């Protein structure tokens, strides 16, 4: 699962932003109306992985199958000095409705008293309590949430494909930002580049034309965010170069990732 999601990512969209963009496509509605619908959908499980996906190992771990919510990093992943920080460092974790409800309950971000939600969500003697909690949350208007809760829900990243299916199933005309499946195209392009790079992997072939730009992007990204994971660093550098070069001039993301250490060391990073 990605620990950071770029706001330019083609595969995800923040719930709050999705609501604002959708409202622009439906005169007479404002973003609050659509945010209310999407928040109820989150707790109904509409965006959770399906049971079929959960039985498929590849689908189960695919980031595009999960909501991604900001959650404080586990103490074990922080240094002693970092554990003293307030607010604590966060990263995005794949989450289902139970994870989101539990985090919001711990932040006192659900409507009403946190203790009441805790009893419903975590009483092992009453496993039906969880379903009761979700049934209640799907019937509570968004504006009844405290400010922290509204902000938290709006910050959740929803896979664009799940948003597209949700609108389609409810026979709501697709907003323009969901009509084109940019994520699928991106994944397909990445696979084409990987295959092309593999076919051209003969020893001594000329270096691909995009490497100079990729190296520059890697150095800029590392300077901007020193803690960015190498996989994401490689992907973001590839994406920048993809806007300027043909596929035949691009190495694969995997190739960039393999060479990151060598490139950064040679440039003193």
């Amino acid at each position: 699962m990605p620990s950071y999601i770029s706001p330019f990512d083609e595969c995800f969209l923040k719930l709050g932003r999705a609501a604002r963009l959708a409202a622009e496509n439906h005169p007479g509605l404002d973003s609050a109306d659509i945010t209310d619908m999407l928040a109820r959908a989150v707790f109904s499980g509409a965006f959770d992985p399906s049971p079929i996906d959960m039985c498929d190992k590849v689908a189960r771990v695919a980031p595009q199958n999960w909501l991604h919510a900001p959650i404080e990093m586990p103490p074990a992943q922080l240094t002693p000095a970092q554990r003293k920080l307030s607010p604590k460092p966060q990263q995005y974790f794949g989450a289902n409705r139970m994870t989101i409800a539990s985090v919001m309950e711990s932040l006192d971000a659900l409507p009403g008293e946190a203790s009441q939600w805790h009893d419903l969500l975590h009483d092992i003697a009453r496993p039906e309590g969880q379903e009761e909690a979700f049934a209640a949350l799907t019937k509570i208007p968004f504006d009844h949430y405290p400010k922290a809760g509204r902000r938290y829900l709006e910050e959740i990243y929803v896979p664009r494909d799940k948003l597209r299916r949700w609108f389609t199933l409810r026979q709501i005309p697709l907003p323009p930002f969901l009509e084109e499946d940019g994520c699928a195209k991106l994944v397909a392009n990445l696979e084409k580049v990987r295959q092309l790079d593999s076919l051209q992997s003969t020893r001594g072939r000329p270096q691909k034309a995009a490497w100079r730009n990729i190296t520059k992007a890697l150095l800029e990204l590392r300077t901007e965010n020193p803690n960015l994971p190498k996989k994401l660093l490689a992907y973001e550098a590839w994406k920048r170069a993809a806007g300027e070069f043909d596929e035949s001039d691009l190495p694969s993301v995997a190739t960039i990732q393999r060479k990151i250490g060598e490139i950064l060391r040679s440039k003193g990073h």
Side-chain angles (χ1 to χ4, degrees):
M1 298 291 178
S3 59
Y4 169 80
I5 300 177
S6 166
F8 297 102
D9 197 297
E10 293 284 352
C11 298
F12 296 92
L13 198 64
K14 282 187 178 181
L15 185 146
R17 183 162 180 256
R20 289 191 292 274
L21 290 172
E24 293 174 1
N25 197 53
H26 295 277
L29 291 180
D30 59 32
S31 60
D33 297 319
I34 299 174
T35 304
D36 183 276
M37 292 175 65
L38 292 174
R40 294 173 194 252
V42 166
F43 291 119
S44 74
F47 302 126
D48 285 0
S50 71
I52 294 175
D53 288 338
M54 292 305 290
C55 294
D56 182 327
K57 183 177 180 180
V58 175
R60 187 168 64 247
V61 300
Q64 292 82 7
N65 267 331
W66 295 84
L67 296 167
H68 281 71
I71 300 174
E72 285 188 1
M73 294 179 64
Q77 296 182 14
L78 301 174
T79 66
Q82 288 173 329
R83 291 176 201 143
K84 297 177 182 178
L85 294 173
S86 180
K88 296 287 192 299
Q90 295 183 337
Q91 68 182 51
Y92 279 92
F93 289 88
N96 57 19
R97 62 178 181 170
M98 182 61 190
T99 305
I100 291 168
S102 296
V103 172
M104 292 182 68
E105 176 254 314
S106 71
L107 298 173
D108 199 12
L110 291 174
E113 296 293 329
S115 59
Q116 296 173 337
W117 292 108
H118 183 85
D119 292 342
L120 280 175
L121 291 167
H122 304 295
D123 186 352
I124 58 175
R126 291 190 69 253
E128 67 273 17
Q130 291 184 6
E131 288 303 323
E132 292 174 1
F134 294 130
L137 287 168
T138 61
K139 295 177 175 63
I140 295 178
F142 183 70
D143 60 8
H144 286 199
Y145 285 75
K147 183 177 180 180
R150 297 195 300 272
R151 186 186 307 116
Y152 191 88
L153 285 167
E154 289 176 338
E155 290 294 306
I156 291 171
Y157 273 103
V158 186
R160 286 181 186 246
D161 184 56
K162 287 183 178 284
L163 278 171
R164 186 181 299 106
R165 279 182 278 170
W166 184 81
F167 274 89
T168 301
L169 286 172
R170 281 149 190 80
Q171 299 183 331
I172 303 172
L174 281 179
F177 70 93
L178 290 178
E179 287 177 352
E180 186 172 336
D181 192 350
C183 182
K185 286 185 177 181
L186 178 61
V187 172
N189 285 340
L190 285 171
E191 180 59 21
K192 287 180 183 177
V193 170
R194 186 194 67 77
Q195 292 174 355
L196 184 62
D197 199 44
S198 177
L199 289 172
Q200 296 179 344
S201 60
T202 55
R203 185 182 296 274
R205 74 180 187 277
Q207 188 181 58
K208 290 183 178 291
W211 270 112
R212 183 187 296 273
N213 290 55
I214 288 170
T215 299
K216 180 174 180 288
L218 287 171
L219 297 176
E220 290 174 350
L221 288 163
R222 174 49 63 93
T223 301
E224 294 167 4
N225 192 340
N227 296 319
L228 203 63
K230 286 186 177 180
K231 186 174 182 180
L232 185 56
L233 193 65
Y235 169 67
E236 290 294 334
W238 180 92
K239 193 158 63 169
R240 289 189 184 186
E244 302 180 38
F245 291 88
D246 293 332
E247 290 182 5
S248 59
D249 293 324
L250 288 165
S252 70
V253 175
T255 299
I256 298 172
Q257 189 176 347
R258 286 197 303 271
K259 292 181 175 291
I260 281 179
E262 176 186 338
I263 292 171
L264 295 179
R265 284 193 299 272
S266 70
K267 301 297 181 180
H269 281 251

